[in-house]
């Protein structure tokens, strides 16, 4: 990726913007880009800092691993300084606990907003929270050494960082349950075959492939991409007839816009 002055660079997250393409990079390879509440707040801030000119957001990570999941310090009785421990969370009231987890989830929700297309470039381990962060994006390009795993259930927890909805949508209920309940690794070949990844490439071709994809996404008019994304995002929740109606309404908007005719 091009060297640009960062819009944001804090807590293991760097945001750079090159005209219509923004790049969010996880920058703590020494800890395999382990995730913490501070990193989640930085990711949320990165989403809010995107200029309106951005159409494509690339999520990538420095080092051999995309993200090895939660910072192990979160599992210790002491936790991370300045952050609630798991014991603190368990002892909090229902409303407080719900609000805390909802705050964490914000780092994972903005990647699918309607006016951008997000691409996760994933190499090495993407475990637990790392897997869910990759799932938060619209598209996934993976290196041939990728290893996805959902380990929360094995730790007595559940995946709670927005990953269950896209996982079921991509691979179906039965395979999603098996992946989560066993915590097993999913490699590049299976990821592509099951729809978890759009394409797998050799590690040294990952950045180039993502750049080419980002460029291809910019070729179509922005409003047409936005309307198409909205149609596809809502397709699973709509009936067949409702989807047909949504297509007609979207096309009417596009035709009027192209012809310069008001509603």
């Amino acid at each position: 990726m091009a060297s640009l002055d960062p819009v944001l660079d804090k807590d293991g997250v760097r945001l750079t913007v090159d005209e219509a393409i923004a790049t969010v990079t996880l920058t703590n390879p020494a800890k395999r880009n382990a995730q913490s509440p501070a990193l989640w707040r930085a990711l949320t801030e990165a989403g809010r800092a995107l200029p309106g000119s951005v159409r494509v957001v690339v999520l990538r990570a420095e080092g051999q691993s995309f993200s090895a999941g939660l910072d192990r310090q979160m599992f210790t009785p002491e936790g991370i300084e300045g952050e609630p421990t798991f014991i603190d969370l368990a002892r909090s009231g229902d409303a407080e606990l719900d609000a805390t987890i909802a705050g964490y989830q914000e780092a994972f929700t903005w990647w699918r907003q309607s006016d951008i297309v997000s691409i996760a470039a994933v190499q090495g381990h993407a475990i637990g929270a790392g897997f869910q962060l990759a799932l938060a994006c619209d598209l996934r390009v993976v290196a041939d050494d990728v290893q996805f795993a959902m380990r929360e259930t094995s730790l007595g927890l559940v995946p709670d960082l927005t990953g269950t909805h896209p996982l079921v949508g991509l691979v179906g209920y039965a395979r999603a349950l098996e992946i989560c309940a066993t915590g097993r690794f999913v490699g590049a070949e299976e990821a592509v075959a099951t729809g978890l990844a759009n394409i797998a490439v050799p590690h040294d071709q990952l950045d180039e492939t993502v750049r080419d994809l980002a460029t291809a996404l910019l070729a179509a008019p922005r409003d047409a991409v936005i309307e198409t994304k909205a149609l596809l995002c809502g397709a699973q929740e709509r009936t067949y007839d409702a989807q047909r109606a949504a297509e007609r309404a979207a096309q009417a908007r596009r035709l009027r816009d192209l012809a310069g005719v008001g509603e």
Side-chain angles (χ1 to χ4, degrees):
M1 297 294 172
S3 178
L4 301 166
D5 292 334
V7 176
L8 177 146
D9 194 354
K10 62 189 293 188
D11 297 321
V13 175
R14 182 171 63 244
L15 167 65
T16 56
V17 178
D18 186 3
E19 297 181 351
I21 301 176
T23 302
V24 177
T25 304
L26 305 182
T27 61
N28 192 3
K31 295 191 72 170
R32 296 196 298 165
N33 298 304
Q35 297 184 33
S36 67
L39 181 140
W40 296 331
R41 288 191 291 271
L43 285 174
T44 300
E45 187 175 342
R48 293 172 179 166
L50 290 179
S53 60
V54 169
R55 294 183 55 188
V56 175
V57 181
V58 174
L59 171 64
R60 60 185 298 276
E62 294 178 348
Q64 295 302 306
S65 293
F66 177 76
S67 174
L70 295 179
D71 188 324
R72 290 291 177 180
Q73 197 171 341
M74 295 178 68
F75 293 93
T76 65
E78 299 79 16
I80 297 174
E81 185 177 358
E83 306 288 356
T85 66
F86 280 169
I87 294 175
D88 293 332
L89 291 175
R91 289 173 175 168
S92 60
D94 288 348
E96 181 182 356
L97 179 56
D98 184 78
T100 299
I101 296 174
Y104 297 160
Q105 289 176 332
E106 288 184 20
F108 297 76
T109 57
W110 63 266
W111 303 90
R112 296 203 177 207
Q113 65 191 48
S114 62
D115 58 340
I116 61 170
V117 177
S118 55
I119 309 168
V122 190
Q123 79 279 6
H125 290 99
I127 298 174
F131 191 3
Q132 294 186 78
L133 187 56
L135 286 166
C137 292
D138 295 307
L139 310 173
R140 279 153 297 283
V141 177
V142 302
D144 52 11
D145 65 347
V146 75
Q147 293 286 302
F148 290 115
M150 201 73 84
R151 290 294 177 82
E152 286 83 351
T153 308
S154 304
L155 297 170
L157 302 170
V158 301
D160 66 338
L161 296 172
T162 79
T164 56
H165 188 277
L167 182 62
V168 172
L170 290 166
V171 305
Y173 159 75
R175 190 178 296 270
L177 175 60
E178 180 251 329
I179 288 171
C180 292
T182 65
R184 70 174 179 85
F185 286 113
V186 177
E189 183 177 354
E190 182 182 355
V192 173
T194 58
L196 273 176
N198 295 81
I199 187 173
V201 297
H203 192 293
D204 60 0
Q205 296 178 21
L206 184 60
D207 284 347
E208 179 184 0
T209 302
V210 170
R211 278 196 300 269
D212 289 345
L213 177 56
T215 300
L217 289 167
L218 294 176
R222 180 172 195 165
D223 288 345
V225 175
I226 290 173
E227 291 276 14
T228 301
K229 179 175 177 178
L231 275 173
L232 296 174
C233 284
Q236 287 185 315
E237 283 71 44
R238 298 189 191 103
T239 65
Y240 177 72
D241 287 341
Q243 183 71 2
R244 289 172 56 222
E247 290 173 358
R248 296 195 300 272
Q251 193 70 303
R253 287 190 294 271
R254 297 303 310 131
L255 289 170
R256 291 190 178 107
D257 183 63
L258 291 172
V261 177
E263 294 289 341

